[in-house]
């Protein structure tokens, strides 16, 4: 393949994989409130959908790192990007099959297992897909291909809630929470049959295409035995925290029933915060230990990387928690008493808000200058907003309550002009935007609060590339390893949403959104701290343009 020619057939097949990452992940925000009503769950139990899905990313990335560290070679590089994506697609197809069986059997635990297997395949796909996209043409235009994948991923997050809502509720005008319990799940089975077949079709196309390069790399990797050890210990401790949470308790109904049930609620809360403490404590321990003796820590000897791991953990956690708890919030009378069958436009707009920001962030890839860049920064977000409205209206949804959300989009456009494509500055501005939006949502109700919580998606939209860039700056030969560590911290999507879910069971769903305020506060703090850390390493972040890749 010529260095200047892009392998478009392979690229178009690859970006369908990006689409389904977003489609399934955002669709979970509809699936969660549905499962809560269908299986009579509390908010914490419904959030186990996110726990199963995002924990799989962590386990998958950790296993790849562990095998690579033991063998001295990158597992994905040894298999080749092509085969790695094929293996990942086949694993996700297996997960779709497990989902079909679980739905047929009405088993919530089986559905969680199916989602876990799907996401385990996604973890392998995501590890290989971005370098593979760069390999499919001129390296100079690699960022554009990765960005195209990110844009399609974001479109998947917009479409996912609409399709999943249709699969669950059909075209009925409204379905009450009681009626949900009697719904047939045939359409969900058909949806996962379709998803599974598409995974298999993509795997076949990749495997048999002679034009797709293998992408094999035999380069040795930098070992990090101490880093592996602490990650394994953290994993064992996390398992120790979550196993008791899922345990079935036999309570003596003749004595102390109320006290014991109350204790069980507190017990679950303690273990959830214990899991959070394991992650924060493990990373901070790594931070302090590596400062004393860097040998054996690999990429984790760099403070920007360790703090960045916590930032990715927090970012994914808050992004998922806002969307996953939104359905329960909208059921409140002060938020319109919106049924689970009617929340798809709001969930689509929330995840679509990430598309709005990512499309705007993509503008820097095209090196536009002056007036052209200014016009692009104004009109691209507005076009993306129009697309979200359009696809929902075409699916029969009433989008009139969300027309004035354009005001929030205009605020985000202003934030883009202020950020000036600088990663630390971007993170500070959008982190502050997130804090303000969440506080307005907490201290108001109705349309103002709904718009504020939806604006959390606008705040999150551009954070991933900014965090990633700041975290891997100055890592040198450890950059690839550092990237793998950051991917592991997608784990945040499996821990922070259940914490908010359990808190909502105790203090109320509206008040539980203070969790998002804390998360955005740390992300803003990270931008300030890492700027100082990099300055001590003689790296001026103000001279580095934001790298757009998700």
């Amino acid at each position: 393949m010529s260095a200047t020619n892009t392998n478009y057939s392979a690229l178009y097949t690859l970006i369908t994989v990006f689409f389904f990452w977003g489609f399934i992940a955002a669709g979970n925000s509809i699936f969660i409130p549905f499962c809560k009503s269908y299986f009579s769950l509390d908010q914490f139990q419904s959030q186990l959908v996110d726990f199963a899905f995002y924990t799989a990313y962590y386990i998958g990335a950790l296993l790849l790192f562990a095998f690579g560290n033991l063998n001295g070679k990158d597992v994905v590089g040894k298999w080749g990007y092509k085969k790695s994506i094929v293996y990942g697609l086949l694993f996700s197809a297996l997960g779709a099959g497990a989902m079909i069986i679980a739905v047929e059997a009405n088993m919530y635990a089986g559905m969680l297992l199916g989602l876990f297997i799907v996401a385990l395949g996604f973890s392998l796909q995501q590890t290989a897909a971005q370098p593979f996209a760069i390999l499919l043409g001129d390296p100079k235009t690699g960022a554009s291909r990765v960005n195209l994948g990110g844009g399609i991923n974001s479109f998947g997050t917009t479409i996912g809630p609409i399709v999943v809502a249709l699969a669950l509720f059909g075209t009925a005008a409204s379905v009450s929470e009681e009626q949900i319990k009697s719904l047939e799940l045939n359409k969900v089975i058909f949806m996962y049959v379709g998803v599974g077949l598409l995974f298999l079709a993509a795997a076949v196309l990749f495997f048999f295409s002679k034009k797709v390069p293998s992408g094999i790399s035999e380069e040795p990797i930098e070992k990090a035995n101490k880093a592996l050890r602490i990650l394994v210990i953290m994993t064992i401790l996390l398992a120790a925290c979550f196993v008791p949470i899922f345990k079935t308790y036999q309570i003596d109904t003749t004595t102390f029933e109320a006290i014991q049930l109350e204790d069980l609620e507190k017990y679950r809360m303690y273990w959830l915060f214990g899991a959070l403490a394991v992650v924060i404590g493990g990373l901070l321990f790594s931070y302090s230990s590596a400062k004393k003796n860097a040998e054996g820590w690999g990429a984790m000897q760099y403070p920007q990387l360790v703090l960045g791991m916590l930032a990715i953990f927090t970012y994914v956690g808050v992004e998922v928690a806002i969307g996953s708890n939104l359905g329960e919030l909208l059921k409140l009378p002060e938020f319109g008493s919106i049924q689970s069958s009617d929340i798809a436009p709001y969930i689509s707009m929330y995840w679509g808000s990430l598309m709005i920001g990512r499309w705007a962030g993509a503008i820097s890839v095209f090196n536009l200058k002056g007036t052209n860049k200014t016009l692009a920064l104004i009109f691209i977000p507005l076009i993306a907003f129009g697309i979200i409205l359009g696809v929902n209206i075409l699916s029969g949804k009433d989008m009139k309550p969300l027309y004035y959300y354009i005001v929030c989009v205009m605020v985000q456009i202003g934030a883009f002009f202020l950020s000036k494509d600088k990663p630390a500055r971007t993170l500070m501005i959008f982190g502050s935007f997130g804090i303000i939006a969440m506080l307005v949502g907490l201290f108001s109700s109705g349309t103002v609060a709904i718009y504020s919580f939806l604006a959390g998606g606008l705040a999150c939209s551009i954070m991933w590339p900014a965090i990633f860039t700041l975290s891997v700056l100055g890592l040198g030969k450890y950059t690839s390893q550092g990237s793998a560590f950051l991917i592991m911290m997608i784990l945040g999507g499996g821990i922070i949403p259940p914490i908010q879910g359990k808190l909502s069971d105790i203090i109320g769903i509206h008040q539980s959104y203070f969790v998002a305020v804390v998360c955005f506060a740390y992300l803003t703090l990270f931008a300030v701290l890492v700027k100082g850390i990099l300055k001590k390493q003689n790296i001026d972040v103000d001279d580095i343009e934001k790298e757009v890749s998700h």
Side-chain angles (χ1 to χ4, degrees):
M1 184 178 68
S2 170
T4 57
N5 293 330
T6 298
N7 187 334
Y8 287 106
S9 60
L11 180 62
Y12 294 150
T13 304
L14 180 64
I15 62 176
T16 62
V17 177
F18 279 78
F19 175 86
F20 277 102
W21 296 343
F23 178 93
I24 299 294
N28 286 344
S29 295
I30 298 289
F31 197 56
I32 285 169
F34 169 83
C35 286
K36 180 178 180 181
S37 295
Y38 189 84
F39 292 104
S40 300
L41 308 173
D42 62 25
Q43 188 64 8
F44 160 74
Q45 290 168 326
S46 71
Q47 295 298 310
L48 295 180
V49 169
D50 283 334
F51 172 79
F53 191 78
Y54 290 99
T55 301
Y57 274 93
Y58 170 72
I59 297 297
L62 178 59
L63 288 173
L64 288 173
F65 169 64
F67 289 136
N69 193 75
L70 292 172
N71 297 326
K73 288 186 178 180
D74 177 27
V75 174
V76 171
K78 186 178 180 180
W79 288 343
Y81 300 136
K82 177 180 175 179
K83 280 188 177 180
S84 296
I85 290 176
V86 170
Y87 294 155
L89 286 165
L90 291 175
F91 221 89
S92 291
L94 180 65
M99 277 292 291
I100 293 167
I101 295 170
V103 171
E104 186 69 42
N106 274 0
M107 288 178 58
Y108 182 56
M111 294 179 191
L112 296 180
L113 177 62
L115 283 171
F116 180 86
I117 298 171
V118 168
L120 208 55
F122 284 179
S123 177
L124 181 53
Q125 294 164 38
Q126 190 156 333
T127 302
Q130 295 196 29
F132 190 60
I134 294 171
L135 189 67
L136 293 177
D138 189 339
K140 293 180 181 178
T141 57
S144 297
R145 290 189 293 280
V146 172
N147 186 67
L148 174 63
I152 297 299
N153 172 272
S154 296
F155 186 62
T157 64
T158 304
I159 297 295
I162 300 171
V163 174
V164 173
L166 288 172
L168 293 172
F169 307 113
T171 55
S174 184
V175 179
S176 71
E177 302 306 313
E178 283 302 315
Q179 288 174 321
I180 287 176
K181 297 179 187 296
S182 59
L183 286 176
E184 296 288 335
L185 298 183
N186 293 341
K187 290 182 180 179
V188 179
I189 293 174
F190 294 149
M191 183 182 75
Y192 271 97
V193 166
V195 168
L197 289 174
L198 285 169
F199 285 143
L200 290 173
V204 169
L205 282 172
F206 269 105
F207 185 77
F208 288 105
S209 177
K210 294 181 180 179
K211 293 182 179 180
V212 178
S214 62
I216 293 175
S217 173
E218 294 288 352
E219 290 185 12
I221 65 170
E222 299 294 334
K223 288 201 172 188
N225 292 326
K226 290 180 181 178
L228 176 59
R229 192 178 305 126
I230 193 67
L231 288 168
V232 170
I233 292 171
M234 284 170 57
T235 305
I236 294 171
L237 290 175
L238 285 171
C241 287
F242 275 98
V243 167
I245 292 173
F246 304 141
K247 186 177 178 182
T248 302
Y249 293 88
Q250 297 295 326
I251 299 175
D252 184 355
T253 57
T254 60
T255 57
F256 309 110
E257 180 182 7
I259 296 174
Q260 291 186 41
L261 285 171
E262 183 181 344
D263 287 345
L264 177 56
E265 294 302 308
K266 293 178 181 178
Y267 185 77
R268 279 182 168 168
M269 193 73 256
Y270 294 154
W271 282 112
L272 281 167
F273 275 113
L276 182 63
V278 166
V279 176
I280 296 174
L283 291 177
L284 292 180
F285 173 80
S286 304
Y287 179 95
S288 60
S289 297
K291 282 179 71 174
K292 297 173 184 175
N293 182 6
E295 186 180 353
W297 284 103
M300 289 178 75
Q301 68 185 271
Y302 293 92
Q304 64 266 38
L305 188 276
V306 178
L307 293 179
M309 290 170 70
L310 186 55
I312 288 290
F313 176 90
T314 305
Y315 156 73
V316 178
V318 71
E319 175 187 277
V320 175
I322 293 172
S324 295
N325 286 285
L326 195 59
E328 187 66 16
L329 181 78
L330 294 174
K331 293 177 185 177
L332 296 177
E334 60 267 35
F335 285 86
S337 299
I338 302 170
Q339 302 290 330
S340 297
S341 59
D342 301 323
I343 64 172
Y346 297 91
I347 301 298
S348 178
M349 184 60 74
Y350 172 73
W351 289 104
S353 294
L354 278 88
M355 181 180 80
I356 293 170
R358 286 169 188 168
W359 282 18
I363 292 169
S364 61
V365 172
F366 302 102
N367 295 317
L368 298 176
K369 304 292 182 183
T371 304
N372 289 337
K373 184 173 182 179
T374 299
L375 291 173
L377 276 173
I378 294 172
F379 287 108
I380 292 298
L382 296 178
I383 290 169
F385 177 66
I387 290 172
I388 299 165
L389 292 177
V391 295
N392 276 277
I393 291 170
L394 287 174
S395 70
K397 305 298 182 184
D398 179 15
M399 298 302 287
K400 290 179 183 177
L402 291 170
Y403 284 168
Y404 293 106
Y405 185 65
I406 195 171
V407 174
C408 298
V409 177
M410 296 299 292
V411 172
Q412 187 203 43
I413 291 171
F416 269 110
F417 279 106
L418 290 173
S419 64
K420 298 180 179 179
D421 280 345
K422 306 297 182 184
R425 188 184 179 101
T426 295
L427 200 53
M428 282 185 236
I429 290 171
F430 279 82
S432 300
F433 178 21
I435 293 170
I436 294 169
M438 294 304 104
L439 287 174
V440 171
L442 277 168
F443 291 101
S444 62
S445 60
T447 300
V448 171
I450 291 172
Y451 282 13
S452 297
F453 289 131
L454 291 178
L458 296 172
C460 288
S461 63
I462 203 64
M463 286 185 169
W464 176 283
I467 296 169
F468 227 93
T469 300
L470 292 169
S471 301
V472 300
L473 278 176
L475 265 59
K477 64 181 180 180
Y478 294 107
T479 299
S480 177
Q481 186 183 93
S483 298
F485 288 156
L486 291 170
I487 293 295
M488 288 180 201
M489 289 298 104
I490 289 177
L491 172 68
I495 292 181
I496 292 177
I499 287 176
Q500 183 176 348
K502 177 44 52 186
L503 277 172
S504 75
D505 289 331
I506 298 171
I507 65 174
I509 186 66
H510 191 184
Q511 291 73 19
S512 74
Y513 271 83
F514 86 86
V515 170
V517 178
V518 176
C519 290
F520 281 122
Y522 173 71
L523 292 169
T524 307
L525 177 64
F526 167 73
V528 176
L529 292 175
V530 80
K531 187 172 182 179
I533 288 169
L534 291 171
K535 189 173 183 180
K536 290 179 181 178
Q537 298 174 14
N538 296 317
I539 300 172
D540 187 355
V541 294
D542 289 331
D543 291 334
I544 300 168
E545 288 195 349
K546 172 168 52 64
E547 178 185 336
V548 181
S549 62
H550 184 51

